[in-house]
């Protein structure tokens, strides 16, 4: 679960912030396998700007505790959340909902 949400008008994204162990982040699937993790020293970090093979911003920072802070584009997280995607699809498919039918609120 994210501990915070962050919005950057400068790079035009909303990002989620997670603080977890390196093992937990590796197992989560949020960080692509080809992304390196920062060294064990506190304050070390890496940033992966969005590009064609990974269209989402990502930053990892090693905390004093040894855990990692992950800041990642919210779109990358939501794409992997199949329960949320299913809920959204079901809501949009329900023609009885006023907002979907275009009725005035």
């Amino acid at each position: 679960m994210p501990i915070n949400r962050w919005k950057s008008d400068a790079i035009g994204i909303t990002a989620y912030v997670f603080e977890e162990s390196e093992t937990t982040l590796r197992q989560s699937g949020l960080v692509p396998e080809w992304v390196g993790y920062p060294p064990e020293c506190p304050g070390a970090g890496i940033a992966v700007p969005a590009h064609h093979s990974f269209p989402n911003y990502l930053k990892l920072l090693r905390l004093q505790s040894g855990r990692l802070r992950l800041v990642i584009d919210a779109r990358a997280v939501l794409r992997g959340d199949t329960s949320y995607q299913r809920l959204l699809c079901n809501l949009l498919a329900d023609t009885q909902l006023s907002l979907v039918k275009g009725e005035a609120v």
Side-chain angles (χ1 to χ4, degrees):
M1 294 296 296
I3 62 164
N4 202 352
R5 193 181 83 214
W6 172 74
K7 181 164 174 60
S8 170
D9 292 328
I11 58 176
I13 67 163
T14 296
Y16 287 135
V17 180
F18 297 86
E19 286 185 6
E20 297 289 347
S21 69
E22 185 171 330
T23 302
T24 299
L25 286 178
R26 286 183 187 274
Q27 292 173 348
S28 74
L30 290 174
V31 180
E33 290 183 17
W34 54 265
V35 172
Y37 283 74
E40 293 293 325
C41 60
I46 58 133
V48 178
H51 57 83
H52 67 281
S53 64
F54 186 70
N56 305 300
Y57 172 82
L58 177 146
K59 182 169 90 173
L60 285 167
L61 177 68
R62 182 76 60 183
L63 303 174
Q64 189 73 29
S65 66
R67 292 165 58 93
L68 289 165
R69 178 175 294 142
L70 168 65
V71 179
I72 187 168
D73 189 330
R75 294 170 295 186
V77 176
L78 294 177
R79 238 182 260 116
D81 188 342
T82 55
S83 297
Y84 172 78
Q85 292 298 324
R86 208 171 17 259
L87 170 69
L88 187 60
C89 288
N90 289 336
L91 284 174
L92 293 174
D94 188 346
T95 57
Q96 298 304 308
L97 291 174
S98 294
L99 295 175
V100 175
K101 288 172 52 175
E103 296 174 2
V105 178

